[in-house]
Each structure stands twice: as C-alpha cells, then as structure tokens.
Amino acid sequence: MDILQDSPAKLFTKYLFASFGSAIIISIYSLVDALCVGQYEGEIGTAALACVLPLWTIILSCGLLFGIGGATLMVERRGRNENYEANQFYTLSILVATIGTLILWGLVNLFENELLRFFGASNPIIFSYAKKYTFWMKLSLPLFLFSQVLTCFLRNDGAPIRATLAVISGGVVNILLDICFVFGCKMGIGGAGLATMCGQFVNLTILLTHYFTKQRRIHFVKPQQSIRKIGLIIKTGLPSFVLDIAMGGLTILFNNQIVRYNEGEYQTATLAVFGVICQVMALVQSLSYAVGQASQPLLSQNFGADQKERVQKFLNYGILTSVILSFLVVILLESCPLAILKLFIKVEEEALIVSIASKIQRAYYWSFLFLCFNVFSTYYFQSILKARLAFLLSMLRGIILSTIFLFSLPALFGFDAIWWTMLITEMIVVLLNIMLILKVNFKHKKIMEKK
C-alpha cells in the first residue's frame, strides 16, 4: 500500500482500524486488572491501582517519547526519499530508548516506596496492596517500554496489522491469566500484576518477528550528527510524552487533593471512584491516541512529499473521527455511571461509595466531549513538524491549566468543584486548537496558490 498514491479514505480506514485494535487491547491491560482486582479486593484494591497508575503512565510515556519522536522523523524523511537518514532516526531512537529504560528501571527499583507514597498511597493498607502489584511491574519494565517504541516503528514501517496482532495476542494472554491468577490461584492484586507482565512478554515477542520479514525497511545504520538528531527525536516526541505523562501527573495531584480534603471511609471511597474514572479515562485517551497514531504516518509522509491536498484530507478525516468518537463516548458514559462503577468494584447498594459515585462520574465524564479532538490536534501538529506548537498545547492542557484549576476550584467553591477541572481545561484548549489549525491551513493554502 502506497501512502503517497493510494486513496486517502482507504488508507485512513486501514490505519484507523489497526490503531483502534491496538488501543482497545492496550487498555485491556489495565482495564482487566482493574475489573478483576475490584471484584476480588473491593474498594481497597481499586484505590491501590489508582495510586499505581502514574507509574504505569510514566513508563508508557517514555515509550511514546522515543517511539513517536523517531518514527515521525523516519517516515517524514522517507517522504523525501532520504531512506538512509530515515534509518538513522530509527537507530538513534532505539539507542536512547535503551539508555532511558536502564535509567528509569534503576530509579523505580531504588525509590519504589517513595514514589508510591508520592502518588497518593499514604494509607498503609492501600500502600501494601500497591506494592504487591508493582513487584511485577519492576521486573518487567523494559518489556512495556520497548513494546511501545516498536509498535510506533512497525506502524510507520508498513506493518500496522502486525502491531495490532501483537497487542491483541498479549491482551488475550493477559485476560486469561488475570482470571487464572487473581481468582483461580487466589493471588489477588499481585496476580493481576503477574498476568500483565506475561501479556506484555507475548506482545513484545510478536513485535520482534517483524525483523524476520521481507517487508521490513527499518535497519540499524551508522548514525551521523547523532547529538543533533537525538535532539530532534526528543523535540518531536515531547508533545506525545507530555500528553500522556500529564495523565499520570494529574492522577497524582487528584489523589493528593482527595487525601487532603477527605478522611476515613469517605477518603477511601472517593479514591476508589476516582480509580474507576482513571480506568475509563485511560480507555478514552487510548482511543483518542488511536486516531492520532493512525493519522500520523499518513500526515508525516505526505507532508514530507509536499502533498498538501492529501494532508488536508487526512486532517479532515481525523477531525471527523474525533468528534464522532467523543459524542458516542459521552452519551454512553453519562447514561450509566452506576453500572460502570459496579463493573469495576463489588459494592452493596447501601454503601457510601454508591451514594457519591454518580455525581463525581457525571461531572468528570463531560470533559471527554473535547478530549479526543485535543489529543488528535497534538498529533497533527507533530506530524507536520510543528513540534513547538504541539508541545505548548500539551503543556497547557496537561499541566498548566489543569493544575491551576485543580487547586483553585476546590479552594474557591468547595471540594466537589474539583471534578469540573478537566471540562474547563479541555474547553479552553479546544478553542486554541481550532484557531491554530485554521491559521496553519490558511498558510498552506497561500503557499499552494503561489505555486
């Protein structure tokens, strides 16, 4: 399939379905863990997973930093027919990913206890449950990071289906072993961590089979101007890194604000509800990534080949898909918040958590109306090498505005106002994204008219 010649609609559909498959199954790693742990351990287990989520996010974010950064530059150079330089970006991405993995692996093993407490596991019982899960995460950290990196490169190397099959296979293994270890072997939350590690091992093994196929175009080569190119990889991948790691950062801040404003049974119940929201948010964000990651190789290579009309078509498809996805997600979530809670946590009807859950969930879920478009916009700006713009928007959405509202809203209007933080943030960022996309498109049209 020729990215520069074939029908934009067929190309987008093929890449979109492959990306959706990957996104859904990737989410299963945490979703199935949460479902099994919530049913087996109850509120405490779900609260513990909410405190582990930031660590999971940091690992996957680093994978996106090196994977998206290197793959975007690689495929953009291919669009210019600079194949040797394209493989230099691949080589350097794997190199810096290896160094980054070793550093992160060491830090997590050395400061596990401090990290978990910082992430919100201040309650001794919640802390002990979180430790059981992270034991397996520590052992398998390189598997998670390299799976993320290789998935990005396979998608850009013309093998999106193989990347999807790898993730699906790992997800199936994860599901089966979750049931076996958590319930069958009565390992609880620790069994969920072990099942996730096994699933990720299968995922990475299948990804590596790409190196034995004839269609492979990625090769290790001797890089030139390595420092400059590594800088470009990090610069290009940074918006995706911020986009993803901000989720972990916000989880930490939300957890700490919950602990600060609540205590006793109410604190545990609120943490558990937020744990459910985090799992749902991870799924919605993964689906949003799927739209961006499906569009990224198509946008980047056509942009590199100066095919502005095709770039515009892929942009239109991405926006339309994001808008439709957002409406479907919000309608579903707002219609059955209590059912979603019970899916993740085994609770009695009269429990405190039931009385507070629907109000919290409904307030937070409205932010998903704009999330998909904002995530796709970041990928769009990355793909056309507007990395600074993508980085600025990622910082505003994921760190600056959200942090301001996270602290100011409960201080001014009471704790319950905290759940509107992301809706207000997403609304402001969506307006900025629309204005900037229109501005970039106007410049492209002017350039095309001069030609």
Side-chain angles (χ1 to χ4, degrees):
M1 189 167 278
D2 190 341
I3 289 178
L4 300 178
Q5 299 295 330
D6 290 348
S7 163
K10 288 183 179 179
L11 280 168
F12 184 80
T13 302
K14 175 186 175 181
Y15 275 76
L16 181 65
F17 278 107
S19 293
F20 267 141
S22 295
I24 291 169
I25 303 300
I26 286 173
S27 299
I28 282 177
Y29 285 118
S30 56
L31 279 176
V32 175
D33 285 352
L35 290 170
C36 291
V37 170
Q39 294 300 322
Y40 188 87
E41 308 280 16
E43 292 178 29
I44 292 292
T46 304
L49 286 181
C51 297
V52 172
L53 183 62
L55 180 57
W56 177 274
T57 305
I58 290 169
I59 296 167
L60 297 184
S61 298
C62 289
L64 284 177
L65 174 65
F66 307 124
I68 291 290
T72 299
L73 291 164
M74 179 189 77
V75 78
E76 191 271 338
R77 292 303 193 274
R78 280 187 188 170
R80 301 185 197 177
N81 286 319
E82 298 174 0
N83 293 319
Y84 187 81
E85 183 156 353
N87 277 319
Q88 289 185 54
F89 283 112
Y90 162 69
T91 303
L92 289 168
S93 294
I94 297 299
L95 176 63
V96 293
T98 302
I99 296 170
T101 299
L102 292 173
I103 294 171
L104 184 60
W105 204 7
L107 290 174
V108 169
N109 277 278
L110 285 172
F111 302 106
E112 177 193 5
N113 293 348
E114 291 79 4
L115 287 170
L116 288 176
R117 291 192 181 96
F118 177 66
F119 295 159
S122 56
N123 182 304
I125 300 175
I126 294 176
F127 177 81
S128 66
Y129 275 73
K131 284 269 289 183
K132 293 177 184 178
Y133 189 88
T134 56
F135 173 80
W136 299 106
M137 285 188 73
K138 287 188 301 178
L139 289 178
S140 57
L141 188 151
L143 299 178
F144 293 105
L145 202 148
F146 274 102
S147 291
Q148 191 82 323
V149 173
L150 289 182
T151 297
C152 294
F153 277 101
L154 262 66
R155 191 180 293 116
N156 284 269
D157 200 39
I161 303 301
R162 185 182 298 273
T164 301
L165 288 174
V167 177
I168 290 174
S169 301
V172 169
V173 169
N174 186 44
I175 293 169
L176 295 175
L177 292 182
D178 257 324
I179 296 169
C180 176
F181 293 150
V182 175
F183 298 105
C185 299
K186 301 187 184 301
M187 293 176 66
I189 192 170
L194 174 57
T196 301
M197 182 183 77
C198 295
Q200 200 60 226
F201 177 79
V202 171
N203 180 13
L204 183 60
T205 300
I206 295 174
L207 289 172
L208 290 172
T209 63
H210 180 65
Y211 287 90
F212 302 98
T213 62
K214 292 181 180 179
Q215 73 181 90
R216 174 173 69 104
R217 296 175 64 192
I218 49 175
H219 299 281
F220 290 110
V221 297
K222 184 178 180 180
Q224 300 168 346
Q225 298 179 316
S226 299
I227 301 300
R228 183 183 69 83
K229 287 186 171 69
I230 289 172
L232 282 173
I233 291 168
I234 293 173
K235 177 183 174 183
T236 306
L238 202 55
S240 290
F241 173 78
V242 172
L243 195 68
D244 201 53
I245 203 168
M247 179 180 167
L250 286 172
T251 302
I252 296 168
L253 293 177
F254 266 104
N255 286 345
N256 281 285
Q257 287 289 79
I258 290 169
V259 170
R260 177 185 175 189
Y261 282 92
N262 303 281
E263 55 186 32
E265 186 182 359
Y266 199 91
Q267 181 188 106
T268 302
T270 308
L271 273 173
V273 174
F274 184 62
V276 172
I277 290 174
C278 285
Q279 298 301 331
V280 175
M281 179 171 59
L283 175 59
V284 176
Q285 192 136 316
S286 290
L287 293 174
S288 305
Y289 290 163
V291 181
Q293 290 172 4
S295 308
Q296 179 263 313
L298 306 174
L299 287 164
S300 296
Q301 193 157 338
N302 281 279
F303 179 78
D306 203 29
Q307 299 278 353
K308 296 293 192 298
E309 289 184 4
R310 289 173 66 83
V311 169
Q312 182 63 48
K313 287 182 179 179
F314 291 125
L315 170 62
N316 293 341
Y317 294 148
I319 291 174
L320 180 62
T321 305
S322 298
V323 171
I324 293 172
L325 179 61
S326 295
F327 275 100
L328 291 176
V329 164
V330 172
I331 290 170
L332 175 63
L333 295 177
E334 291 289 341
S335 64
C336 53
L338 195 56
I340 293 169
L341 177 78
K342 290 182 177 180
L343 187 66
F344 284 93
I345 306 175
K346 186 177 181 180
V347 292
E348 302 295 334
E349 286 294 333
E350 65 275 10
L352 172 64
I353 191 172
V354 174
S355 66
I356 66 173
S358 292
K359 179 177 66 174
I360 294 172
Q361 288 172 283
R362 283 202 164 103
Y364 199 103
Y365 289 156
W366 277 113
S367 66
F368 297 158
L369 197 59
F370 307 103
L371 183 150
C372 300
F373 178 80
N374 286 335
V375 169
F376 169 74
S377 299
T378 300
Y379 277 92
Y380 168 67
F381 289 124
Q382 274 183 290
S383 301
I384 62 170
L385 301 187
K386 300 282 184 184
R388 289 182 182 178
L389 203 54
F391 175 70
L392 174 62
L393 291 165
S394 296
M395 287 290 292
L396 280 172
R397 175 182 173 269
I399 297 176
I400 299 172
L401 291 176
S402 49
T403 301
I404 290 171
F405 293 126
L406 186 60
F407 284 95
S408 62
L409 289 177
L412 293 172
F413 305 107
F415 174 73
D416 286 344
I418 198 174
W419 307 116
W420 298 100
T421 294
M422 291 314 298
L423 174 61
I424 298 170
T425 299
E426 300 283 11
M427 288 174 65
I428 294 172
V429 176
V430 81
L431 293 174
L432 290 172
N433 272 318
I434 291 170
M435 289 189 292
L436 291 168
I437 288 173
L438 290 173
K439 182 179 178 181
V440 169
N441 284 357
F442 180 75
K443 286 184 177 180
H444 285 174
K445 285 181 181 179
K446 286 292 186 182
I447 292 170
M448 289 175 67
E449 286 172 3
K450 288 180 180 179
K451 292 182 178 179

